[in-house]
Amino acid sequence: MEILAPACPLHGPGIDPLSLVGGRLVEVLASWHVHGGRPGGGPVEVWLIDDQGRSTNIASGTDWCLMVESSRPDDGVDMGDWGRIDVLPVRDETPLAAHLGELMIGVRQEWEPRTGRMALELDFPSGSVRFESWSGDLRVLAMDRTEGPITPMP
């Protein structure tokens, strides 16, 4: 029996998150919406760069799916009266900073048949990070991992 990938109707399936397992997280970049000189509450999108030079983009789609695809970081953009998007290295702004230099040892995802992937968790030796699409926004959360890593299963 073939297991179908959790494809977003608008954006497609993206990459298989299992391909992240075994890579060492060496850099994380995130884009931030800055308006009136103040950054928004969380990143707009995130790029995970591993020790093999692979760059994986994680973002919330306009249709609320969670996009996970291979792409290089953007340069940012000035949006005039609506502010700007800055792309910067992540320091302590997200839970990912705590896992720089660690191997990605497992992944799990949640998906909904009509909209595709809704969440992705990455396991590291020292904990897990969860990415969610929530009302069209990307949420990045630290998770307590009480069980071993689980490979993705729709």
Side-chain angles (χ1 to χ4, degrees):
M1 179 170 116
E2 182 179 346
I3 298 175
L4 300 175
C8 165
L10 187 60
H11 303 103
I15 66 164
D16 179 356
L18 189 56
S19 67
L20 298 171
V21 173
R24 184 173 304 278
L25 186 62
V26 296
E27 186 175 14
V28 179
L29 296 158
S31 65
W32 305 88
H33 181 221
V34 179
H35 191 267
R38 294 184 313 246
V44 176
E45 52 190 320
V46 171
W47 289 268
L48 308 175
I49 300 160
D50 71 12
D51 57 343
Q52 300 299 310
R54 293 178 293 194
S55 178
T56 302
N57 176 251
I58 301 175
S60 183
T62 55
D63 60 349
W64 296 16
C65 75
L66 185 70
M67 299 180 298
V68 180
E69 52 195 26
S70 179
S71 75
R72 295 315 246 167
D74 296 331
D75 291 328
V77 64
D78 185 343
M79 301 183 304
D81 292 340
W82 291 285
R84 66 181 193 273
I85 299 290
D86 288 339
V87 177
L88 303 166
V90 167
R91 293 178 184 82
D92 293 329
E93 301 92 350
T94 76
L96 290 160
H99 303 292
L100 283 172
E102 292 187 346
L103 284 175
M104 292 176 267
I105 60 172
V107 296
R108 350 178 221 284
Q109 61 186 346
E110 296 171 14
W111 66 288
E112 204 280 326
R114 292 179 307 235
T115 57
R117 186 182 297 112
M118 302 301 295
L120 175 73
E121 285 186 32
L122 290 178
D123 292 329
F124 298 91
S126 64
S128 298
V129 176
R130 180 178 174 89
F131 301 89
E132 296 177 340
S133 177
W134 188 259
S135 298
D137 292 328
L138 176 64
R139 294 194 334 188
V140 184
L141 309 160
M143 302 296 291
D144 288 331
R145 184 169 42 84
T146 57
E147 300 177 11
I150 300 171
T151 56
M153 296 296 286

